[in-house]
Amino acid sequence: MYSCLKSYGIDGIDAFPVTVEATFGRAMPGFDIVGLPDAAIKESRLRVQSSIRLCGYELPAGRITVNLAPASQRKFGPAFDLPIFLAVLAATNQLSSLPEDAAFVGELSLSGQIRPVNGVLSMALRAKADGIPAFFVPEENAKEASIVEGLTVYPVSDITALLAHLDGSCPITPVEFDPLLILSGANQFENDLADVRGQHFAKRALEIAAAGGHNLLLIGPPGTGKSMLAKRLPSILPKLSFREAIETTRIYSVAGMLSPDHPILSTRPFRSPHHTVSPAGLTGGGSSPVPGEISLAHNGVLFLDELPEFHRDALEILRQPLEDGTVTVSRVAGSASFPSSIMLAAAMNPCPCGYFGHPTRACSCTPYAIERYLQRVSGPLLDRIDLHVEVAPVEYADLAGDSSGESSAAILQRVLAARAVQDTRYKGTGVTCNARLPSAMLRRVCRLAPDADRVLRGAFERMGLSARAYDRVLKVSRTIADLAGSERIEAEHVREAVQYRNLDRKYWYTA
């Protein structure tokens, strides 16, 4: 006897269709699974056998062969337990029929319960693209899959309930879920920039970074509020659009980091890995590559505190994702690409003791120690950071005063106005903000007034800017002009943008 049904596997964060075939013949008893399965899939035969017996069925004496097609592509994870179970029952003539227009995924427990699996949102998107109308998923994954409009999602709690649905005795009610209800409540943060006393220059830099999606480096002595500022950056970022929410949720789904109660991300990610993180922890990895911290921060912020304390090879990995917006993980078994459109926010001290350049406290470090410390952050990485911001010690009057700073809500309104200008400007181009502006569009979008061109030319020659730094100064100038409501980039916009490129000359080139 022969049976087959549809399922889906995960490659990177994308799903691919898998046909689960099963045959049964009168021969030496055996149960084989072929089609490049991993260890978790090979072990599924034991879970399937247990579930078959507990559900009152039996495995007749004979050879069962299960094939996961296409056989040339590796499959990972326990998501094929449920389709293998159904295919085996059908092949042994214990299940009358299987729907041809449905797909199944789910992990089996030994008691017949259906456990959740990773990557269901990507599978649901691919099922819709393939024209499959019905998708049977574990109950805990049902809301996640129902985000995909036009796909009927059936939540399956256990094998008994599924079999009752298939024979028509007790149909399962499809899940109806409106993800816009979750997205409507986004951008509620406990941390507010009003909590930060003083630091008006740094707050202005944060506003520019949020308005244009620019990378940011905060450098200053200990206790000046660098981490405090960076952790409040999400409070002035726009809400995720529905498209961005789907992109980011797919990554978290594949990584197994979604909650059943919150099946779609409603706020921009803020990832802050410890400085001991490995290169694989940043990019992702494993025999079946899963997303790392860079991709988990997609459409959000990756915050690296104590930047020079990170391993040099881990920091250098950032260079390609910051430039291309994707990170590629290559392994012997294959490669996977993960999206990494991130804002990089970093904070660091100017020297090992932290007080190099402090107005009142003496630095105890030797020039060699300072140079060695700063050289842990390479020039090419610095070149990819748009805003270099010095965070000075806070004045006593700011700390002891009763007045609080400007709130995140007030700053967010200016950021949203600037982003609205960019949305209109880049409509239909795929560009989301000024920081993502490709070189081909740069000259057309960043039109300079004559005075602004002279200022930028003088800065380029005086500071020895690279071609990349020139482009990034233009993009920051464009954002400052958008915040000012100016269609053209004026000289004052360029001057403000250029001042955010001075710290590498102050610290790195003189260390």
Side-chain angles (χ1 to χ4, degrees):
M1 295 291 293
Y2 169 83
S3 68
C4 74
L5 49 81
K6 298 180 180 67
S7 187
Y8 286 92
I10 292 292
D11 181 16
I13 65 166
D14 298 317
F16 61 94
V18 175
T19 301
V20 180
E21 303 173 298
T23 61
F24 173 74
R26 298 293 178 180
M28 183 70 68
F31 193 146
D32 297 315
I33 300 177
V34 298
L36 289 183
D38 71 343
I41 299 175
K42 291 177 181 178
E43 292 172 351
S44 70
R45 62 187 181 86
L46 301 176
R47 296 189 290 272
V48 168
Q49 288 172 339
S50 175
S51 296
I52 286 176
R53 294 189 181 97
L54 285 174
C55 291
Y57 296 96
E58 62 180 24
L59 281 174
R63 176 164 292 277
I64 297 171
T65 302
V66 174
N67 179 46
L68 306 178
S72 60
Q73 189 162 8
R74 291 187 176 275
K75 290 86 179 176
F76 301 92
F80 299 105
D81 285 4
L82 180 58
I84 289 174
F85 171 88
L86 295 173
V88 168
L89 282 186
T92 55
N93 222 13
Q94 299 180 80
L95 191 61
S96 57
S97 63
L98 287 172
E100 296 181 358
D101 57 350
F104 301 83
V105 294
E107 176 186 346
L108 286 176
S109 71
L110 295 180
S111 63
Q113 299 294 312
I114 308 297
R115 290 176 172 158
V117 296
N118 297 341
V120 166
L121 178 55
S122 293
M123 296 176 186
L125 290 167
R126 181 59 190 265
K128 179 186 177 182
D130 291 345
I132 294 178
F135 195 29
F136 291 82
V137 302
E139 190 172 33
E140 292 185 37
N141 294 127
K143 286 186 177 180
E144 175 188 345
S146 69
I147 294 171
V148 181
E149 189 177 2
L151 184 67
T152 304
V153 177
Y154 294 96
V156 183
S157 58
D158 56 63
I159 288 297
T160 303
L162 176 59
L163 295 176
H165 172 86
L166 294 177
D167 65 19
S169 60
C170 185
I172 297 174
T173 303
V175 172
E176 295 183 4
F177 177 65
D178 183 6
L180 295 178
L181 294 178
I182 289 181
L183 290 177
S184 63
N187 273 31
Q188 302 297 323
F189 298 97
E190 295 180 3
N191 297 327
D192 195 290
L193 278 171
D195 303 332
V196 182
R197 298 301 181 98
Q199 303 300 3
H200 304 293
F201 180 73
K203 289 180 182 178
R204 169 63 176 173
L206 256 66
E207 180 180 338
I208 295 170
H214 302 289
N215 301 323
L216 175 77
L217 172 64
L218 302 169
I219 180 170
T224 53
K226 302 184 296 296
S227 300
M228 191 176 183
L229 285 161
K231 290 176 181 178
R232 282 155 177 75
L233 181 56
S235 68
I236 59 172
L237 288 175
K239 293 181 180 181
L240 285 170
S241 67
F242 186 67
R243 178 187 61 80
E244 290 174 327
I246 290 292
E247 288 178 357
T248 311
T249 301
R250 286 178 64 200
I251 297 170
Y252 279 72
S253 175
V254 170
M257 298 175 63
L258 279 185
S259 165
D261 297 327
H262 297 88
I264 183 170
L265 294 187
S266 56
T267 57
R268 293 187 181 274
F270 181 86
R271 303 294 300 180
S272 181
H274 192 261
H275 59 74
T276 56
V277 67
S278 67
L282 283 176
T283 61
S287 56
S288 171
V290 294
E293 291 290 342
I294 297 175
S295 295
L296 291 172
H298 180 59
N299 289 323
V301 179
L302 177 66
F303 176 46
L304 303 183
D305 203 1
E306 304 296 344
L307 186 66
E309 301 298 337
F310 284 79
H311 296 293
R312 180 68 176 261
D313 53 350
L315 289 181
E316 294 308 299
I317 279 174
L318 289 167
R319 288 159 59 174
Q320 181 238 343
L322 288 177
E323 204 70 23
D324 301 337
T326 59
V327 56
T328 301
V329 180
S330 297
R331 295 292 183 267
V332 174
S335 64
S337 293
F338 302 114
S340 59
S341 180
I342 64 172
M343 283 180 62
L344 175 64
M348 61 177 288
N349 297 328
C351 67
C353 79
Y355 296 104
F356 176 61
H358 195 281
T360 58
R361 296 190 61 169
C363 174
S364 61
C365 304
T366 65
Y368 174 72
I370 296 174
E371 180 179 5
R372 186 177 180 186
Y373 180 78
L374 293 175
Q375 292 307 318
R376 294 178 186 175
V377 183
S378 69
L381 180 58
L382 276 175
D383 212 32
R384 288 166 167 80
I385 299 178
D386 307 303
L387 305 169
H388 305 165
V389 184
E390 188 165 23
V391 185
V394 185
E395 298 291 337
Y396 178 81
D398 291 324
L399 290 174
D402 294 331
S403 61
S404 60
E406 193 174 21
S407 69
S408 292
I411 298 173
L412 177 60
Q413 294 306 310
R414 296 196 294 270
V415 170
L416 292 177
R419 287 285 185 127
V421 171
Q422 295 168 52
D423 290 342
T424 302
R425 179 188 300 135
Y426 303 130
K427 186 175 182 180
T429 65
V431 178
T432 56
C433 59
N434 289 332
R436 309 283 174 255
L437 189 62
S439 298
M441 296 175 59
L442 197 62
R443 306 298 178 271
R444 176 171 60 84
V445 170
C446 300
R447 297 194 303 274
L448 295 168
D451 288 349
D453 184 66
R454 284 192 292 271
V455 170
L456 185 55
R457 178 187 295 273
F460 182 84
E461 295 172 351
R462 182 179 70 258
M463 300 170 65
L465 297 176
S466 67
R468 180 186 291 112
Y470 169 81
D471 285 354
R472 290 181 179 272
V473 168
L474 269 182
K475 294 174 186 179
V476 173
S477 301
R478 179 68 268 171
T479 299
I480 295 171
D482 290 341
L483 284 168
S486 174
E487 185 176 344
R488 191 173 62 169
I489 299 174
E490 304 293 343
E492 61 266 25
H493 305 146
V494 175
R495 290 191 186 98
E496 185 175 4
V498 167
Q499 72 176 334
Y500 295 117
R501 302 294 304 196
N502 282 327
L503 286 186
D504 52 350
R505 276 81 187 163
K506 175 179 177 179
Y507 289 103
W508 276 264
Y509 294 173
T510 61

